[in-house]
Amino acid sequence: MQDKSALLGSLKIDRGPLEEPSSGKGRLVAIVVVIALLVGLGGWFLRPDPAIPVTTTTARAQGSGAAGAGSVLDASGYVVARRRATVSSKVTGKVVELMIEEGTRVEQGQVLARIDDSNLRAQLELSRSQMEASKAQLTEVQVQLVEADRNLKRTKELAGRQLLSQSALDNAQANADSLRARLESTRRNVTVSERSVSVQQQELDDTIVRAPFAGVITVKNAQPGEMISPLSAGGDGTRTGIGTLVDMESLEVEVDVNENFINRVHAGQEAQSTLNAYPDWKIPSEVIAVIPTADRSKATVKVRIALKVKDPRVLPDMGARVSFMAEKADDSGKPARPIVLVDKSAVNRGAQEAVVFMLRGETAERRAVTLGDTRGNDIEVTAGLSGGETLVIGDFAKLADGARVAVKTKE
């Protein structure tokens, strides 16, 4: 029993003398430290999320103007001339005179160049001399025939009075018939010689190169002293033409349309052409024809586009982009809905739906959209946007509805 009491006594706590209460200044410092810690922790937990760096793009509505019709398809191509010719001579020869330069405007039938014609002129003179000789021979035969006819007449009269024999009459008749046949042959020779002169004259005229139609010289290929030939029969040193002539009134645009969308294009359809050199100039256009054949290597179909406005700024082989316009109204008379195009990088195609994020001040607003056809770097939005919205482009893994964003400025 004493052992238990001794053991309990050893477990007592010796509190010692009571400590003096701490001063008021120490207590105040402790309170300030606690408040500072609380404020720091509150600021840490309540601080805003860092802004996500993004760039922006704008949703573009096509055909939302007064016309009430939008583009159903865009395609790229080039300006081409339907009337374009490499002008050459009909004969092989040396150029002695050239009267064109690049940019020269010429009229139909205007002389562009002259070919050396000295040999052809000599041949023409020879043919003319042969024709004159044939005509002189014809005159001689005609005179002989007149004399033979007179002699035949006298011989018949004398033979009728038994003053000349039958053989004399036969000889006179044969002589007249022979001269008559010779006269016919000589007449044919004269005709041949006249045609020969005409051919030689035509060959001489062919040494003068004339414009086949009115237009502008775009390329000058030859110089005086060079040989030209329509078939380049003279070898590598022989030119095939003196220059290229283009009828500027026949300019049009040819585009290659993907065969998957060719059903959106038809003859007579309204279109709008934009030259790469003048991106702000919209040229009213119209579909001339859809060429009825496809390019299997590119899976495209060629379409011809007429430019309704003739302008000297339009030049052959310029790059162009054509927008094929939708019909202005449907059967009910309601205007067609504008087509909205956005940059493909602004669309997040998820497993469930496609979404975009619109810029609202400093935050991003999530918007579900319905997508249509892809057009180059753009994609058509058929529902969800009306055009003009500012969309953000950034890391879609971080973007969310209401997320803070910071638009990066272009350097």
Side-chain angles (χ1 to χ4, degrees):
M1 189 66 178
Q2 293 178 352
D3 294 338
K4 292 182 179 180
S5 298
L7 181 60
L8 292 173
S10 64
L11 295 175
K12 292 181 179 180
I13 299 175
D14 186 8
R15 297 182 180 274
L18 296 175
E19 297 180 356
E20 297 181 359
S22 60
S23 66
K25 182 177 180 180
R27 187 180 303 126
L28 180 61
V29 172
I31 293 173
V32 171
V33 171
V34 171
I35 292 175
L37 290 175
L38 292 175
V39 171
L41 291 174
W44 172 264
F45 287 106
L46 297 178
R47 79 186 191 283
D49 295 333
I52 303 172
V54 296
T55 58
T56 61
T57 185
T58 303
R60 306 183 307 279
Q62 294 190 352
S64 58
S71 168
V72 296
L73 183 67
D74 289 348
S76 299
Y78 296 92
V79 178
V80 298
R82 295 298 295 177
R83 297 185 70 188
R84 181 177 186 147
T86 299
V87 184
S88 181
S89 65
K90 294 182 180 180
V91 296
T92 301
K94 182 174 67 176
V95 179
V96 295
E97 187 178 5
L98 196 60
M99 292 163 279
I100 61 170
E101 292 291 341
E102 289 88 347
T104 302
R105 183 171 294 275
V106 299
E107 299 298 329
Q108 183 176 1
Q110 181 176 334
V111 177
L112 307 182
R114 298 181 187 275
I115 309 301
D116 183 16
D117 60 359
S118 55
N119 293 337
L120 292 175
R121 286 188 179 277
Q123 187 66 35
L124 176 61
E125 291 301 322
L126 176 60
S127 296
R128 285 176 175 172
S129 298
Q130 292 174 345
M131 182 183 66
E132 294 300 328
S134 298
K135 289 182 178 180
Q137 186 178 8
L138 176 61
T139 301
E140 179 184 357
V141 173
Q142 288 175 337
V143 172
Q144 291 177 354
L145 180 58
V146 171
E147 180 62 25
D149 287 338
R150 290 175 182 174
N151 185 36
L152 177 60
K153 183 179 179 180
R154 289 194 299 266
T155 303
K156 286 183 178 180
E157 292 178 354
L158 294 175
R161 290 183 291 175
Q162 303 295 323
L163 296 176
L164 288 176
S165 63
Q166 183 63 36
S167 63
L169 178 60
D170 292 341
N171 290 335
Q173 183 66 51
N175 185 40
D177 293 341
S178 175
L179 288 174
R180 192 169 284 105
R182 184 180 174 188
L183 176 64
E184 183 63 26
S185 176
T186 305
R187 283 176 177 170
R188 293 182 180 275
N189 289 338
V190 170
T191 301
V192 171
S193 61
E194 288 176 343
R195 292 179 179 177
S196 177
V197 170
S198 178
V199 170
Q200 294 297 327
Q201 182 64 55
Q202 183 62 51
E203 291 185 358
L204 183 63
D205 293 341
D206 289 343
T207 61
I208 301 176
V209 182
R210 301 179 184 273
F213 51 82
V216 176
I217 299 296
T218 59
V219 179
K220 179 181 177 183
N221 292 329
Q223 296 291 342
E226 288 187 314
M227 294 292 294
I228 64 172
S229 172
L231 300 177
S232 188
D236 294 338
T238 303
R239 301 283 187 179
T240 57
I242 63 169
T244 301
L245 178 63
V246 174
D247 181 4
M248 293 300 182
E249 296 297 321
S250 69
L251 293 181
E252 61 185 42
V253 178
E254 285 188 356
V255 297
D256 291 328
V257 176
N258 190 299
E259 62 183 20
N260 294 328
F261 308 122
I262 196 61
N263 60 330
R264 302 183 184 182
V265 181
H266 59 84
Q269 182 178 2
E270 292 293 325
Q272 193 176 76
S273 300
T274 304
L275 300 179
N276 295 345
Y278 306 99
D280 297 329
W281 180 27
K282 308 299 182 182
I283 307 175
S285 308
E286 183 180 0
V287 177
I288 299 175
V290 178
I291 307 302
T293 184
D295 187 332
R296 66 168 65 182
S297 62
K298 299 187 294 184
T300 58
V301 178
K302 191 177 297 295
V303 179
R304 293 174 53 201
I305 311 296
L307 301 176
K308 295 184 177 181
V309 177
K310 304 298 181 182
D311 194 282
R313 289 176 292 178
V314 183
L315 301 177
D317 299 326
M318 271 187 167
R321 187 169 185 83
V322 177
S323 297
F324 297 94
M325 311 307 292
E327 299 298 331
K328 294 184 179 181
D330 56 19
D331 295 338
S332 63
K334 183 180 179 180
R337 176 190 175 277
I339 293 178
V340 179
L341 297 178
V342 300
D343 193 306
K344 290 191 296 186
S345 58
V347 180
N348 181 21
R349 303 190 188 188
Q352 301 296 329
E353 60 181 357
V355 299
V356 298
F357 289 90
M358 297 188 299
L359 182 63
R360 299 295 189 190
E362 296 183 354
T363 62
E365 178 183 319
R366 186 178 182 275
R367 175 74 63 86
V369 295
T370 303
L371 303 180
D373 300 325
T374 300
R375 307 181 184 182
N377 292 326
D378 297 331
I379 189 168
E380 179 183 344
V381 176
T382 59
L385 297 176
S386 59
E389 296 89 349
T390 301
L391 309 179
V392 300
I393 302 174
D395 187 355
F396 290 114
K398 297 179 180 179
L399 284 173
D401 192 19
R404 292 182 64 248
V405 296
V407 179
K408 295 188 292 185
T409 59
K410 296 182 179 179
E411 298 181 356

